[in-house]
Amino acid sequence: MNMTQREELMKTLHECMEACNYCYDACLQEDDVNMMANCIRTDRECADFCGYTEQALARDTPFAEELLRACAVICRACADECRQHDHDHCKYCAEKCEKCEEACLAFTA
Amino acid sequence: MNMTQREELMKTLHECMEACNYCYDACLQEDDVNMMANCIRTDRECADFCGYTEQALARDTPFAEELLRACAVICRACADECRQHDHDHCKYCAEKCEKCEEACLAFTA
Amino acid sequence: MNMTQREELMKTLHECMEACNYCYDACLQEDDVNMMANCIRTDRECADFCGYTEQALARDTPFAEELLRACAVICRACADECRQHDHDHCKYCAEKCEKCEEACLAFTA
Amino acid sequence: MNMTQREELMKTLHECMEACNYCYDACLQEDDVNMMANCIRTDRECADFCGYTEQALARDTPFAEELLRACAVICRACADECRQHDHDHCKYCAEKCEKCEEACLAFTA
């Protein structure tokens, strides 16, 4: 992974973290929060892990591959959860998670 | 803060982090999640910050006082939220948050 | 704090987190690491806390003011440490920390 | 993983996090910090990830297996690094990392 690739990957992780945290916040304000319980949970997991991974990349962690492998699985699960809901914040989050999963997988061959 | 005091404080922060995460998890499984939305939110905030603060103390952070001052406010708010609910996990969490607030304040005079 | 202000603040925190992690990584590769021990330490503290605060803002934490107050102190300390060294990464980091301290203080009046 | 196993695993992760942070702090105060640069780095990586994983388990994360798989690799690397040094804090840290690696692997078959 060269510097440009790392910057790009960090940006993708960051956008995913923001989308997940935004979706988490919005889910907690929905009329029917029961429906969103799993989405709240996966949003938090995905936001926290993308944020963690991005910061680890920023310090050039020697464990990028391990982190990205786990991150891809978490992003996939969060996308799958968000895809089940019609809220705009869920659709947007699913897109960002899918993009992030793809970016992570590119470095874990 | 001597070594024994630090160990004791870390233990208190840790128990609060566990109680908050447990309450968060339980709230998301309640019959009426809408009622618990604010509790879910403060549980996460409090769990994350207590966990952060404990880890910072473990590496002898030079910023203990700043972290503990913020931590006390967050624990107080989480206790106040949990006190509004009758679930056992909320009552237990409120107790741990109050104990943790008190422990934090003892080092921020 | 409105949406635009929040976005701007998150960007500033993010740049500070990146600069601190970059400086941390570079300090560990310097010829004289002994000279950089305190800088390594404050870089980590500042990077971790700016990253934490940014993520908390991303989920619209109710505790922004408490976090920003602590963050300003940590950024100030990291800037003061970095100002004592002539390495480019330290100078750059000091600039980002000072900018971040200022941004944090603007919301903690 | 039942409740007792989870508690046990969290305790092991916690002891590893503490040992790594203690070793990190002690390495930064050694006479020859250059010799310890890699140890400082892996200590931080391992402390942060063990702390993260423990907190995720505390909220019953659905991604335990992914986290534990990555955690085992990081603990192994930190143990290998610490084994190269004669300081008591390094030897102690290596023991805790090896114990933690083993505990993680038990749940990632």
Side-chain angles (χ1 to χ4, degrees), chain A residues 44-87:
Chain A
R44 179 190 181 181
E45 298 288 332
C46 195
D48 283 2
F49 203 76
C50 286
Y52 185 95
T53 302
E54 185 197 3
Q55 286 177 53
L57 290 175
R59 62 181 182 254
D60 203 12
T61 177
F63 305 108
E65 197 160 333
E66 283 74 23
L67 297 177
L68 294 172
R69 194 172 292 124
C71 201
V73 175
I74 297 171
C75 288
R76 181 69 262 153
C78 194
D80 287 345
E81 174 61 38
C82 283
R83 281 280 170 233
Q84 299 178 37
H85 306 285
D86 277 336
H87 305 302

